[in-house]
Amino acid sequence: MQTENKKNQAKFISLEGSEGVGKTTSLNFIKGYVESLGHQVLVTREPGGTPLAEEIRNLLLEKREENVDASAELLLMFASRIQHIENVIKPALNDGVWVVSDRFVDASYAYQGGGRGLGFERIEFIEKWSMGDFLPDLTLLLDMSVEDGMARTRLRGDSDRFEDEKITFFQTIRKAYLKRAEKSKGRIKIIDASPSAELVQQAIKKELELCL
């Protein structure tokens, strides 16, 4: 984040990971833990987070016969993201409210850069042009084998346009996430999402304590 880093300042945390890694459970834990420290917390998501961004989310996730071009998908993601940043995330942080987002810009590198094969360079250009240097203070990447994650996803029942992709799509996403973590200069912390929820939460708590 581009503002000064002070201990009592509101922080922006994003949670990343492919399908079935347990983001919802972890989001609830993060919210509860940060609130227990006396902070206000706003939980939001991408794509989405504002009325217009949620409309874009529905467009992106809906199953359709028309082929969705990868570049069109990427630009829709960023259109949603800019609305989210300017109308929700920045105002909340300015009001002293911590923001926890279910996915943020790293998801575009993973899903469109990796999964759709667009690579990182084009996304880096769009990111800099549209977001400047605005990034989360901390990103937690929940990581587990694609096979285990997809098995969890299938238990949920109904799938969206992304969840219907082949397993190779998600294997490429995982590789892109890990590559992005290597380049993050320590902002992205990898959390092993395969153990019990309690152990995952212990690992998350440790990273949050370092962020305070």
Side-chain angles (χ1 to χ4, degrees):
M1 221 175 65
Q2 59 269 60
T3 50
E4 279 184 288
N5 191 11
K6 299 178 182 177
K7 270 207 156 195
N8 59 352
Q9 184 181 13
K11 300 292 175 66
F12 175 27
I13 299 169
S14 62
L15 194 63
E16 297 283 356
S18 189
E19 312 303 320
V21 294
K23 286 190 287 84
T24 300
T25 301
S26 295
L27 282 167
N28 291 333
F29 171 76
I30 294 168
K31 181 177 187 293
Y33 177 68
V34 175
E35 286 179 339
S36 74
L37 300 176
H39 303 291
Q40 284 184 274
V41 180
L42 170 67
V43 174
T44 185
R45 68 178 181 178
E46 286 207 352
T50 80
L52 175 56
E54 289 291 333
E55 290 183 40
I56 296 173
R57 178 188 180 87
N58 291 336
L59 288 173
L60 285 163
L61 299 188
E62 182 181 346
K63 298 177 184 180
R64 60 184 73 243
E65 292 185 9
E66 178 185 1
N67 176 61
V68 179
D69 184 83
S71 295
E73 183 179 279
L74 175 65
L75 292 172
L76 284 170
M77 288 288 186
F78 269 95
S80 170
R81 181 165 298 127
I82 297 309
Q83 286 294 111
H84 193 206
I85 291 170
E86 299 300 329
N87 294 342
V88 174
I89 299 175
K90 285 183 177 179
L93 293 172
N94 289 336
D95 287 340
V97 177
W98 285 51
V99 177
V100 183
S101 182
D102 180 352
R103 295 205 174 107
F104 193 61
V105 70
D106 300 295
S108 287
Y109 285 88
Y111 278 76
Q112 285 76 51
R116 300 299 187 205
L118 294 179
F120 282 12
E121 185 175 348
R122 187 183 315 185
I123 300 173
E124 287 171 353
F125 174 81
I126 297 172
E127 178 192 358
K128 289 298 181 185
W129 173 76
S130 62
M131 297 168 49
D133 60 355
F134 186 84
L135 285 171
D137 296 287
L138 172 68
T139 297
L140 300 170
L141 171 58
L142 298 177
D143 179 61
M144 68 188 309
S145 76
V146 172
E147 292 78 10
D148 289 344
M150 294 310 296
R152 289 183 183 180
T153 300
R154 284 191 289 270
L155 293 175
R156 296 202 300 252
D158 291 341
S159 60
D160 59 38
R161 188 172 65 86
F162 286 89
E163 291 169 345
D164 279 351
E165 292 285 349
K166 295 178 180 179
I167 195 165
T168 52
F169 176 76
F170 297 102
Q171 289 168 339
T172 309
I173 284 171
R174 185 186 183 197
K175 290 177 182 177
Y177 263 133
L178 294 174
K179 180 181 177 182
R180 180 71 172 159
E182 287 179 5
K183 300 179 66 175
S184 74
K185 299 179 180 178
R187 173 180 60 85
I188 301 176
K189 306 296 184 181
I190 300 172
I191 304 291
D192 184 358
S194 58
S196 66
E198 182 179 358
L199 290 176
V200 172
Q201 289 167 8
Q202 287 177 8
I204 289 174
K205 182 180 177 182
K206 180 179 178 181
E207 296 298 342
L208 289 175
E209 289 172 343
L210 294 172
C211 181
L212 295 174

